[in-house]
Amino acid sequence: MLKKRIIPCLDIKDGSTVKGINFEGLKNAGDPIELAKKYELEGADELVFLDITATLEDRKTFVELVRDISKELSIPFTVGGGISSIEDVRKLLEAGADKISINSSAVKDPKLISDLANEFGSQCVVVAIDTKQIGQTDLVHIKGGREATELTTVEWAKQAEALGAGEILLTSMDGDGTKKGFDLRITKLVSENITIPVIASGGAGSVEDFVKVFNETKATGALAASVFHFNEIDIQNLKQQLKTQKISVR
């Protein structure tokens, strides 16, 4: 059985870490390099960096930031935001990223998933899915959550796996930043319908939320931002508490 991973996420805008609620109302959460170093020391298993406005802006500064971060880190880190070509990925991997995350670009051009998997290996390709329940249907959203698509979440996850994705980063937009707990329903649905690892994201507010997502779904990773950024949950303490609940962590 795969050991569970605790993954802090740093949303980057203009070189700073920011955090909002339901993808809106962003506030500054600190320097990404300092946070990255802190999380590694605390025992994070991986880190995710998302350049949340990269789709709209020039992304050169972000490559520099990735290079600076990679000098400070020994744990794996995933980079996402504005990636739409093999060349984009090559630059980020050369700058030190271990994996890349694609979202809007994969929805617009699903072949990008297989192109990247063929070029760099499936283990490098994370497909991020931003999902929101509209009526009774879970729909994939793109452009930083601003635009609904007609793709249903489970079907898109299955398609991404078939195309060569190595992992799914599943963010519940309904849960994002609310601290009311991970969306167990959609996480369970997706993780039971595919065989590649699923990282649950959106809604972590307490240690108990991590216990539930690992006990009640097949997610192999749990990602959170504000509870770590604002020192509400200490990663070392979280992992110790998961172990006491017989949850196998790295």
Side-chain angles (χ1 to χ4, degrees), residues 104-136:
S104 306
S105 58
V107 170
K108 287 181 197 147
D109 176 17
K111 186 175 170 287
L112 179 64
I113 301 172
S114 39
D115 287 348
L116 295 179
N118 290 335
E119 185 73 23
F120 304 106
S122 285
Q123 82 293 335
C124 176
V125 183
V126 179
V127 172
I129 301 177
D130 294 334
T131 179
K132 186 174 181 147
Q133 196 170 15
I134 310 286
Q136 295 300 305

Side-chain angles (χ1 to χ4, degrees), residues 5 167-170 187 190-191 194 196-200 218-222:
R5 293 167 292 153
E167 192 163 43
I168 298 293
L169 169 53
L170 181 71
T187 307
V190 171
S191 61
I194 58 177
I196 55 175
V198 173
I199 299 168
K218 290 188 172 174
T220 63

Side-chain angles (χ1 to χ4, degrees), residues 11 28 74 224 229:
D11 292 330
N28 196 311
S74 61
H229 298 342

Side-chain angles (χ1 to χ4, degrees), residues 4 210-211 214-215 239 242-249:
K4 309 298 189 185
F210 288 87
V211 172
F214 289 140
N215 276 338
K239 289 178 113 176
L242 290 172
K243 282 175 185 167
T244 65
Q245 301 275 347
K246 306 280 187 289
I247 293 166
S248 176
V249 289

Side-chain angles (χ1 to χ4, degrees), residues 137-155:
T137 312
D138 298 298
L139 290 180
V140 174
H141 284 59
I142 57 170
K143 296 185 180 171
R146 286 188 286 277
E147 191 178 297
T149 70
E150 291 178 1
L151 289 169
T152 60
T153 303
V154 172
E155 288 312 308

